Amino acid sequence: MRCDEVREQLAEHMLGTLDEIGDAAVRRHLRGCAGCRAESAALAEGVSTFARAAHDVEPPAGLSDRVLAVLEEEWAEAVPAGGPRGRGAWAARAAAAAALVAALTWGVISTIRAERFEEAAGRYETFLGVLGGEDVRVGELHAAGPQVLRGSAVIYDSKVGQSWVLVLVRAPGWEGAVNVTLVADEDVRIDLHPMEFGPGGEASTWLVTSSDLTAFERVNVWDETGLIASGHVERA
Amino acid sequence: MLTVRSKGRGTDAALMRAFAAGDTAAAAELYRRFASRVYGLGIVMLGNDAAAQDLVQDTFVKLWRSAGNYDAARGRLETWILLVARSLAIDALRRRVLDARVLERSGLRNEASEDPGPEDHAATADLSDRARRAMETLSDGQRAALELAYFGGKTSAEVAELEGIPVGTAKTRIRTALLKLREALEERQREV
């Protein structure tokens, strides 16, 4: 994008009203253009000064206690009551996670079954019990165009610790970086780190987060030209 | 312990990481810095103290649940928080419309008035006065476009349609309004 095109869209980018693809293109331009970043900062000042002028009102005195009390309830419910704790539990989680990743070789994703996991993760229920998680969802990624592409996505939903996402793609001959986004609905998206294709046309990216990922059901892979691949994740 | 990989850097990123980890001091610092603007946004958009307080609570809960999504490289923390609050306020307004329709269809009347009380009128009047002074440098078109985009979350295409202007004009008005506000308030601060 040219600078004049980006600056036309900076205000909407600032106010959060650009569509995801347009917003990603603006962010990409800003990463490499100091001039546009300076204008972006000026617009952010405008938003800030408008907010301070238009709606900066001291809240009632007791509201802070109320909000902090509610947050403490949230934090308390995020800690498992009787789940695995300590270094032993972490080692078991790491082993189970490694077993899952090892199982995600090409062509395996569509045949994942509980019996494919090894040892402590030999049964699906045991696997979930070790991780303390709620569910594992998997999905195949399908090319949006004529290019040859295969991919897989795994989302591990946990209500007691860290949830994570793993995306693997193989597209022979493909080069460079592409973007990956988790999608819940039109307004709720999470960007993973862009993934870079290696010499064999393979790429991967991952995310570990304390956020609740249960609402995210679609994985989009895209670049400046548009959508490259996408897939729907569901329970294995 | 599995750790969250973050692209964040600087004070705001560190603050959000601490907040995401359930740090009480970080929560208190976020409240100290941003609660007044979220509460004020609630007063302006929702019209009363109770709804504005609910907005503050709901915003901070959502901030914690989505703290892992914050990326300092993508913009200011303040802007991100204001957009979260605005989205929640718009949802609250939509629910009000739905609730009013349900009540109307059922023949019931809502005894609890949504009209702001005397204290709310005073706060709103004060807000209006400050907002008017800040907005004096804007044309009517610039002000309308900014308010639609900021409070309503309207895209430039939607602003253009509502205002009956070309999309390019809508984009220019919003951008110019923000830049002029920044200049105008900086001048006032220098005069004080």
Side-chain angles (χ1 to χ4, degrees):
Chain A
M1 293 179 77
R2 299 193 313 269
C3 289
D4 60 335
E5 293 172 324
V6 170
R7 294 188 186 197
E8 255 192 11
Q9 302 193 58
L10 273 181
E12 282 191 90
H13 163 71
M14 196 61 51
L15 295 172
T17 54
L18 275 185
D19 61 88
E20 177 60 30
I21 291 179
D23 202 70
V26 169
R27 293 197 306 271
R28 185 185 178 101
H29 180 90
L30 289 176
R31 285 195 290 270
C33 180
C36 288
R37 284 200 302 274
E39 167 133 348
S40 178
L43 291 172
E45 286 284 340
V47 171
S48 178
T49 49
F50 178 71
R52 288 176 189 278
H55 59 84
D56 194 3
V57 180
E58 194 62 32
L63 184 57
S64 63
D65 290 340
R66 168 182 159 184
V67 170
L68 290 175
V70 169
L71 287 173
E72 284 174 2
E73 283 182 38
E74 281 281 301
W75 298 335
E77 290 184 3
V79 175
R85 296 181 187 276
R87 298 180 65 186
W90 155 238
R93 286 189 178 123
L100 176 62
V101 172
L104 290 177
T105 53
W106 303 110
V108 166
I109 193 70
S110 60
T111 60
I112 283 185
R113 298 281 189 274
E115 61 267 21
R116 295 192 68 95
F117 298 128
E118 299 179 15
E119 297 185 356
R123 293 188 304 121
Y124 180 71
E125 293 81 4
T126 304
F127 170 72
L128 287 182
V130 168
L131 289 176
E134 204 173 54
D135 212 343
V136 174
R137 293 177 288 146
V138 298
E140 289 187 57
L141 301 180
H142 301 283
Q147 66 271 15
V148 175
L149 182 147
R150 293 171 63 203
S152 309
V154 180
I155 298 180
Y156 164 60
D157 300 304
S158 170
K159 282 193 171 181
V160 298
Q162 309 282 4
S163 300
W164 49 264
V165 182
L166 175 65
V167 176
L168 307 165
V169 173
R170 172 183 282 173
W174 203 279
E175 293 179 347
V178 295
N179 303 298
V180 181
T181 302
L182 288 185
V183 182
D185 57 35
E186 285 300 314
D187 294 329
V188 186
R189 296 164 187 251
I190 297 177
D191 286 336
L192 281 65
H193 281 288
M195 54 186 182
E196 189 89 25
F197 282 91
E202 296 180 359
S204 64
T205 186
W206 54 274
L207 169 73
V208 179
T209 178
S210 57
S211 299
D212 182 356
L213 298 181
T214 52
F216 293 87
E217 296 181 335
R218 178 154 291 279
V219 177
N220 287 345
V221 181
W222 53 277
D223 66 5
E224 285 179 322
T225 65
L227 190 67
I228 299 169
S230 129
H232 180 82
V233 292
E234 56 189 20
R235 287 186 181 183
Chain B
M1 174 184 287
L2 293 174
T3 56
V4 176
R5 184 176 62 167
S6 171
K7 294 187 247 185
R9 51 187 180 274
T11 305
D12 283 348
L15 180 62
M16 285 305 293
R17 283 197 296 273
F19 181 57
D23 185 271
T24 304
E29 174 65 10
L30 282 172
Y31 185 92
R32 183 190 68 78
R33 286 173 59 184
F34 301 114
S36 61
R37 261 154 284 157
V38 175
Y39 177 75
L41 186 68
I43 290 287
V44 170
M45 291 185 68
L46 303 176
N48 63 76
D49 168 73
Q53 290 196 41
D54 284 343
L55 179 65
V56 174
Q57 174 181 327
D58 292 348
T59 298
F60 274 82
V61 168
K62 185 156 187 180
L63 289 178
W64 183 74
R65 289 177 182 173
S66 56
N69 297 347
Y70 173 65
D71 182 354
R74 294 178 65 162
R76 281 186 168 195
L77 177 59
E78 176 186 16
T79 308
W80 185 65
I81 290 175
L82 289 176
L83 293 183
V84 168
R86 182 189 68 186
S87 176
L88 289 170
I90 289 174
D91 289 344
L93 287 171
R94 287 180 183 144
R95 283 195 301 274
R96 274 190 197 172
V97 171
L98 288 173
D99 289 347
R101 288 177 185 162
V102 168
L103 283 172
E104 191 178 333
R105 281 197 297 270
S106 66
L108 294 172
R109 297 184 62 184
N110 186 356
E111 296 298 333
S113 171
E114 289 289 357
D115 292 338
E119 292 175 357
D120 293 329
H121 276 301
T124 305
D126 182 54
L127 273 174
S128 298
D129 187 49
R130 279 190 276 157
R132 274 196 297 273
R133 286 201 303 272
M135 301 283 270
E136 281 172 4
T137 59
L138 306 184
S139 68
D140 289 346
Q142 289 166 350
R143 182 169 54 247
L146 178 58
E147 287 177 346
L148 284 169
Y150 185 90
F151 289 116
K154 302 297 183 186
T155 65
S156 56
E158 290 168 332
V159 171
E161 184 175 347
L162 288 166
E163 293 288 286
I165 56 178
V167 175
T169 303
K171 289 179 189 281
T172 301
R173 286 183 182 179
I174 297 167
R175 174 172 172 262
T176 303
L178 288 174
L179 291 175
K180 288 175 77 172
L181 277 175
R182 179 206 181 206
E183 289 172 22
L185 288 169
E186 280 185 347
E187 283 178 15
R188 282 202 180 81
Q189 286 169 358
R190 284 193 290 269
E191 289 168 5
V192 171

